[in-house]
Structure formats: structure tokens, C-alpha cells
């Protein structure tokens, strides 16, 4: 397996990459911090990866996406799969007070992913095989007052992935939408934990399995599919009064 991992220094992406490393996969890791990428590279090599290449990039620099993907294809001699896992969880009070910050978070959590998916979709469609996975969120299933900027970005990403999946189905390319619920990672370090929080290693293993099987939409853990089903069917007159 030749795998591109974007946002490779995130806890979930790292755990997913560990699963592929034990299979002897070749990995191209992309992230902002060279220091973090170097540590993850060493970890994956120890776990059995056949090749690990790192690439430092601010993913909000959309003009550099094509060059990064070119580098991944060249370094690994092609790609079998790609995982897009970068993102940020903004402070809702800050983003609702600032147009600039709201748009910046939308850029990070949606537009940068759409840029990557557009380039990768065209490349994978041409080679007529492979798997593209991206991490969206259950927050995209319905806008909540406590995080609707983040949720709106993930909702748009989910819809984009749905359309891309329908298009690439005809070329034999799988598009996997990952919808995690609460995950105990550095991104949620400031959030009070409860029994609904999942561990990143369990989420990583589920993403690994979903990518191998080429599944369509995967809620992680599984029960979030039914939690969000209930949330989606609540009448708006009731939903708008909830404070979560």
C-alpha cells in the first residue's frame, strides 16, 4: 500500500498510519511541524513501514497543494490511497465575533480539503483505482449553537465527499467519509470528557478497516449514526432551544 496522509501529526491520523505501517505500507506524511513529522516517521518505521517520507506544508496555502501531491506520487512511485485528516476545532465565541476568524476556520476545515480532494479525485479517476478518505465530523449533521462554524464547514465537506463518491464510483475509486464523534485528542484537550469520548487508537483502527474495505460513510464509534439520526429528526422549534 502506498498511502498519502495529510495532517499526519494529528492523533487520529497517526494511529491510522500505525495500522498501515504494520502491514509494511509506504507512507508520505504531510503536516506543518517538521519536528512532529520526524518523530512520527521514526515511530512508523519501527512499526514496520517499508518507506516513510515527510513533507512540511501549511495546508491553507492552497497554491502548494498540486506540488505536494506531485511530490507524493513521485516519492512513492504512485499512490493507492490518501487520507485527509487535518483540521482545527475553533472557539465558537471567537469565530462568531469575527468574520475574519470564521472564514479562516472555514478555509482550514473545508476549503483546503476540497482543494486536495479535487486534485486527488482527478488523479485517482485517471488511474481508475484507489481509495480517498477524509475526516469530516458528526458536527456536520446538524448545526448546533455551540459549534456551528465548525459544523457548517464539516457539513459542506460531507456533501462534497458524497458527490465525489458518486462520480468516482464509475472509475472504481472508493471515497470514504469518516464521521468521528468526540475523540480524546490534543484538539479536544480543553473539553470536559464524558463516556462518549473515544480513544484515538480505536478511531484509527476503524478508519484503517474502512479504507481497506472502501466503505462509504463511517460513524466512529458506530453508535453516533443513531445519536445523530435522533438529533436530525428533532423539530427545529425544539432544537433551537437546546444549549449544546
Amino acid at each position: 500500500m502506498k498511502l498519502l496522509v495529510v495532517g499526519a501529526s494529528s492523533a487520529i491520523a497517526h494511529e491510522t498510519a500505525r495500522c498501515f505501517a504494520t502491514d509494511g505500507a509506504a507512507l508520505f506524511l504531510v503536516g506543518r511541524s517538521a519536528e512532529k513529522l520526524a518523530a512520527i516517521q521514526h515511530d512508523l518505521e519501527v512499526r514496520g513501514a517499508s518507506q516513510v517520507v515527510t513533507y512540511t506544508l501549511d495546508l491553507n496555502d492552497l497554491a502548494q497543494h498540486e506540488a505536494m501531491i506531485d511530490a507524493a506520487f513521485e516519492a512513492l512511485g504512485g499512490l493507492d490511497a490518501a487520507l485527509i485528516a487535518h483540521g482545527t476545532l475553533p472557539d465558537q465565541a471567537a469565530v462568531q465575533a469575527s468574520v475574519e476568524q470564521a472564514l479562516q476556520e472555514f478555509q482550514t476545515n473545508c476549503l483546503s480539503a476540497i482543494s486536495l480532494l479535487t486534485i486527488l479525485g482527478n488523479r485517482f479517476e485517471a488511474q481508475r483505482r484507489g481509495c480517498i478518505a477524509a475526516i469530516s465530523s458528526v458536527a456536520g449533521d446538524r448545526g448546533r449553537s455551540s459549534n456551528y462554524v465548525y459544523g457548517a464547514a464539516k457539513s459542506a465537506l460531507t456533501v462534497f465527499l458524497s458527490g465525489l463518491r458518486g462520480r468516482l464510483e464509475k472509475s472504481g475509486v472508493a471515497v470514504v467519509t469518516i464521521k468521528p464523534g468526540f475523540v480524546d485528542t490534543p484538539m479536544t484537550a480543553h473539553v470536559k470528557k464524558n463516556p462518549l469520548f473515544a480513544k484515538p487508537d480505536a478511531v484509527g483502527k476503524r478508519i484503517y478497516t474502512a479504507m481497506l474495505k472502501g466503505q462509504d460513510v463511517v460513524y466512529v464509534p458506530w453508535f453516533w449514526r443513531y445519536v445523530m439520526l435522533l438529533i436530525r429528526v428533532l423539530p427545529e422549534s425544539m432544537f433551537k432551544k437546546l444549549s449544546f
Side-chain angles (χ1 to χ4, degrees), residues 57-111:
L57 179 65
D58 178 353
L59 291 159
N60 281 318
D61 188 354
L62 308 189
Q64 299 302 315
H65 286 184
E66 188 104 39
M68 179 274 287
I69 291 171
D70 283 343
F73 271 86
E74 182 175 350
L76 302 187
L79 288 176
D80 301 309
L83 171 63
I84 297 175
H86 68 286
T88 55
L89 183 62
D91 178 84
Q92 175 62 28
V95 294
Q96 70 189 32
S98 166
V99 172
E100 182 181 356
Q101 289 190 44
L103 296 180
Q104 180 62 45
E105 291 298 333
F106 211 89
Q107 165 102 347
T108 301
N109 288 300
C110 177
L111 299 181

Side-chain angles (χ1 to χ4, degrees), residues 7-209:
S9 59
S10 79
I12 293 175
H14 186 183
E15 293 294 343
T16 306
R18 281 178 167 174
C19 296
F20 282 102
T22 59
D23 290 341
L27 298 122
F28 191 92
L29 310 179
V30 182
R32 283 186 302 180
S33 168
E35 184 178 358
K36 288 182 180 179
L37 289 177
I40 293 169
Q41 177 184 26
H42 175 70
D43 176 66
L44 297 177
E45 289 172 343
V46 169
R47 290 173 186 274
S50 59
Q51 181 183 4
V52 184
V53 180
T54 64
Y55 191 100
T56 305
L57 179 65
D58 178 353
L59 291 159
N60 281 318
D61 188 354
L62 308 189
Q64 299 302 315
H65 286 184
E66 188 104 39
M68 179 274 287
I69 291 171
D70 283 343
F73 271 86
E74 182 175 350
L76 302 187
L79 288 176
D80 301 309
L83 171 63
I84 297 175
H86 68 286
T88 55
L89 183 62
D91 178 84
Q92 175 62 28
V95 294
Q96 70 189 32
S98 166
V99 172
E100 182 181 356
Q101 289 190 44
L103 296 180
Q104 180 62 45
E105 291 298 333
F106 211 89
Q107 165 102 347
T108 301
N109 288 300
C110 177
L111 299 181
S112 64
I114 286 176
S115 170
L116 294 164
L117 288 165
T118 298
I119 300 166
L120 288 168
N122 292 339
R123 300 286 182 92
F124 278 57
E125 184 177 46
Q127 70 183 23
R128 301 188 67 79
R129 65 178 181 81
C131 173
I132 302 171
I135 297 180
S136 185
S137 172
V138 297
D141 281 16
R142 191 165 189 180
R144 295 187 292 122
S145 61
S146 60
N147 73 345
Y148 63 82
V149 173
Y150 176 76
K154 291 299 189 181
S155 180
L157 177 58
T158 294
V159 172
F160 187 93
L161 288 164
S162 176
L164 184 65
R165 178 164 42 251
R167 169 190 155 196
L168 297 187
E169 164 72 15
K170 303 169 185 63
S171 303
V173 178
V175 176
V176 184
T177 304
I178 310 295
K179 292 187 177 184
F182 302 131
V183 185
D184 188 1
T185 67
M187 178 186 285
T188 60
H190 62 290
V191 181
K192 186 178 180 180
K193 303 301 183 292
N194 60 51
L196 293 177
F197 272 79
K199 295 297 183 183
D201 59 336
V203 175
K205 289 176 183 174
R206 184 68 186 92
I207 294 173
Y208 164 74
T209 301

